[in-house]
Amino acid sequence: MIDWMGLATSLVTSPWFYLVLVAVSLLDSFLPLIPSEPVVVIAGVYAADGDTELVACIAATALGAVLGDLVPYVVGRSLAERVRARLRPGTRRRRAHDWIAAELAARGSYTLVTSRFIPVGRYLVTLSAGMVGYPWRRYLAATAFAGLCWSTYTVLIGYAGGALFQDNDLIGMAVGLGLAFALSGTVEVVRRLRRRPAPAPPSAPGHNAAAADVVRPACGPQPAVGRNAVRAGRGGARPRTSSDGGELDAGHT
């Protein structure tokens, strides 16, 4: 395996250093084992010392990130049916793919930009974007913006560490890497909190009692009016009679 950290350090004063930044950020877009963040942070640390050009470091890293994000997108678009056939319904991977597909349909650009800052999430999102047929123009625009933001903040973190500890590059690198991992962890925590379902709103006071009052008359004895109405419907009301058996007229009281 290539020692990317050692290679970047040995070429820091050479123009080939920027090609290393392009390569490492490109490969890290679909190969999780490539340590792009540490190498990019080192570029920012050396930029603070004047050994590298700050803008060139940002541009090279962004270019590699954008090109790298195209690889899983093209793979997902070309092998969508084969990959989907391996994602059996009910499995964890299938649920993850379905959730990402729903997020891309609801807010695609936001999902693509934020996933760039999540080390593992970026691979799943870019692959799923190709599988669901996300429009390539919108994909390219979102990933270009995401790559530029990611490269800028990663290089500037290293630059800040190098500026604070110009007398000791190792401490500057350690501070820069710590900040990078802390920000990535914060993004992941926020993403998990957003995925939690919202709690059900509490029922209004008296709502259950009102519902019970509406239902209660049907369960208890029927009122007299209801019985008379049923009796009248069956054969009419019985005529009132006097004590000697004669019928009383309607006006008799």
Side-chain angles (χ1 to χ4, degrees), residues 3-249:
D3 182 9
W4 292 100
M5 299 280 288
L7 181 62
T9 303
S10 64
L11 296 175
V12 69
T13 58
S14 170
W16 290 100
F17 176 79
Y18 303 103
L19 183 60
V20 172
L21 292 179
V22 173
V24 72
S25 55
L26 186 153
L27 295 175
D28 181 57
S29 297
F30 54 91
L31 295 178
L33 298 180
I34 303 299
S36 65
E37 278 85 358
V39 175
V40 177
V41 168
I42 288 176
V45 172
Y46 283 118
D49 293 337
D51 296 327
T52 60
E53 293 292 334
L54 179 64
V55 176
C57 291
I58 294 175
T61 305
L63 177 61
V66 174
L67 294 177
D69 285 340
L70 290 175
V71 174
Y73 176 80
V74 173
V75 171
R77 202 175 182 94
S78 304
L79 305 176
E81 295 301 327
R82 295 182 182 180
V83 176
R84 193 176 290 110
R86 294 177 176 272
L87 301 176
R88 294 178 297 177
T91 60
R92 184 177 180 180
R93 292 182 179 180
R94 182 57 180 266
R95 288 194 299 268
H97 168 72
D98 293 341
W99 180 83
I100 294 173
E103 290 294 311
L104 288 171
R107 41 185 177 271
S109 297
Y110 172 82
T111 303
L112 289 168
V113 172
T114 54
S115 66
R116 160 48 64 177
F117 296 85
I118 304 173
V120 178
R122 73 182 67 155
Y123 320 123
L124 302 178
V125 172
T126 51
L127 179 65
S128 296
M131 292 176 60
V132 301
Y134 194 83
W136 70 269
R137 287 187 177 88
R138 292 171 56 189
Y139 178 85
L140 185 59
T143 52
F145 178 75
L148 180 60
C149 292
W150 173 77
S151 63
T152 301
Y153 113 89
T154 308
V155 173
L156 288 181
I157 284 177
Y159 186 89
L164 291 174
F165 302 96
Q166 291 184 350
D167 296 335
N168 194 325
D169 290 339
L170 291 178
I171 296 180
M173 292 177 190
V175 172
L177 289 174
L179 290 174
F181 291 140
L183 289 176
S184 298
T186 302
V187 172
E188 177 65 13
V189 170
V190 172
R191 184 185 69 86
R192 290 183 178 273
L193 291 177
R194 289 176 60 89
R195 288 186 60 182
R196 289 184 178 180
S203 58
H207 175 74
N208 295 334
D213 291 340
V214 173
V215 178
R216 190 179 295 117
C219 300
Q222 294 182 355
V225 176
R227 291 198 300 268
N228 292 337
V230 174
R231 187 180 301 161
R234 291 179 178 176
R238 295 181 182 178
R240 299 174 60 188
T241 58
S242 61
S243 58
D244 58 356
E247 293 185 0
L248 295 176
D249 56 5

